[in-house]
Amino acid sequence: MAAPPGAGPAALRFVAAACWQVVRGRYVEHFPRVLEFLRSLRAAAPGLVRYRHHERLCMGLKAKLVVDMILQGRPWAQVLNALHRHFPESGPTVRDPKATKQDLRKISEAQETFCQQVKQLAEASVDLASKLQSALLLIQ
């Protein structure tokens, strides 16, 4: 597969630097772009980062997207829709032959726990700040 025009090493470094600035500055509205870049990078260079580390990074970005929606006071239907879009019930799709059973189990457990915490918040939104903090700590 040929690289698109202008997709040389300099362009890759530029996009990686832009993604780093988005994450570092916590510009949540641009996290979907960073996730897309990470997916593309993973497809192009599967051995660059271990499966577990890649999934944890992506999971943290997705979790921050959902948590940010809650903090903005978005309707719970919208939050739960985003939760199901970013964390489908089918679990993570594994495309890395080096992913171990332990990696898959840990990723799956973290996703399930986070989803349960958000669903509990939706059912009875009491003490929102402490529950969000504990949910984010589980992901990290």
Side-chain angles (χ1 to χ4, degrees), residues 105-118:
R105 182 181 49 79
K106 283 186 174 188
I107 298 286
S108 181
E109 285 176 2
Q111 283 185 3
E112 287 174 26
T113 303
F114 179 74
C115 290
Q116 287 173 354
Q117 297 262 338
V118 172

Side-chain angles (χ1 to χ4, degrees), residues 50-69:
R50 290 187 58 196
Y51 170 78
R52 185 186 324 170
H53 298 168
H54 171 79
E55 284 299 315
R56 285 184 65 188
L57 175 60
C58 290
M59 200 179 345
L61 293 171
K62 293 175 190 178
K64 180 63 177 159
L65 281 167
V66 173
V67 168
D68 198 56
M69 290 178 74

Side-chain angles (χ1 to χ4, degrees), residues 14-16 18-20 22-23 27-41 54 58 61-62 65 86:
F14 179 76
V15 173
C19 287
W20 172 245
V22 166
V23 172
Y27 302 118
V28 178
E29 66 273 10
H30 298 296
F31 280 11
R33 291 180 181 168
V34 174
L35 286 164
E36 186 58 38
F37 173 71
L38 290 172
R39 277 188 221 107
S40 299
L41 190 60
H54 171 79
C58 290
L61 293 171
K62 293 175 190 178
L65 281 167
H86 292 299

Side-chain angles (χ1 to χ4, degrees), residues 82-115:
L83 181 72
H84 293 302
R85 184 176 59 250
H86 292 299
F87 298 100
E89 303 246 347
S90 61
T93 55
V94 182
R95 294 186 182 134
D96 189 339
K98 293 182 181 178
T100 65
K101 288 182 182 181
Q102 181 182 8
D103 290 342
L104 297 174
R105 182 181 49 79
K106 283 186 174 188
I107 298 286
S108 181
E109 285 176 2
Q111 283 185 3
E112 287 174 26
T113 303
F114 179 74
C115 290

